[in-house]
Amino acid sequence: CAKEGATEGIVLQFGRDVTDSVLKTADGVDFKGIDEYHLYDLVQVCIQGADRPATGDILGHLINIISTRFDFRKKIINNVEALGSKTARLSTYGVNMDDTQIALIILANIEVAATQDYGNEFKTADGVTNHPPPIQLLPRP
């Protein structure tokens, strides 16, 4: 039976520690019959049991993305695509960066480039970057 072959392959690949919660009865002693479980449930438990990187590694990856420095020898679109690839990888761990955060990284890189000799394209006519005036907070009443 195809289901038995698939089950055997999954057990060999992921191990009994992961698969027994689906393949054994509630008391954990006996194996369920072929019609008493679904391959979908078996695959789901394997996905849930997959190794995830340590939380510190995920945080390190996030810090790496936030501190990304563009290589301005390449076109900006190539740098943005590389940044998008990094953020996509991070999203597989449930950490999602929205467009505003990505834009902040891009703008920070452009501001740094504008202070360099190679960043003339990002400077205004007076030689400084075009920054909006700082936000003035009103004192609380």
Side-chain angles (χ1 to χ4, degrees), residues 76-89:
I76 290 183
I77 189 67
N78 298 116
N79 286 291
V80 172
E81 286 173 353
L83 180 62
S85 147
K86 290 179 182 180
T87 60
R89 195 169 341 134

Side-chain angles (χ1 to χ4, degrees), residues 52-82:
R52 288 179 46 91
T55 305
D57 292 339
I58 296 172
L59 180 60
H61 191 67
L62 177 61
I63 291 169
N64 181 5
I65 290 171
I66 291 171
S67 61
T68 294
R69 293 291 170 237
F70 284 180
D71 179 358
F72 283 100
R73 295 172 294 184
K74 300 176 183 175
K75 293 184 177 189
I76 290 183
I77 189 67
N78 298 116
N79 286 291
V80 172
E81 286 173 353

Side-chain angles (χ1 to χ4, degrees), residues 43-125:
V43 170
Q44 286 301 104
V45 78
C46 291
I47 291 170
Q48 292 171 0
D51 288 336
R52 288 179 46 91
T55 305
D57 292 339
I58 296 172
L59 180 60
H61 191 67
L62 177 61
I63 291 169
N64 181 5
I65 290 171
I66 291 171
S67 61
T68 294
R69 293 291 170 237
F70 284 180
D71 179 358
F72 283 100
R73 295 172 294 184
K74 300 176 183 175
K75 293 184 177 189
I76 290 183
I77 189 67
N78 298 116
N79 286 291
V80 172
E81 286 173 353
L83 180 62
S85 147
K86 290 179 182 180
T87 60
R89 195 169 341 134
L90 189 63
S91 71
T92 62
Y93 306 124
V95 179
N96 299 311
M97 297 187 69
D98 65 26
D99 291 341
T100 60
Q101 295 159 332
I102 293 170
L104 183 63
I105 295 169
I106 294 168
L107 290 173
N109 274 280
I110 290 173
E111 285 182 0
V112 169
T115 65
Q116 305 299 317
D117 291 337
Y118 62 83
N120 289 331
E121 297 172 12
F122 303 114
K123 294 178 183 172
T124 60

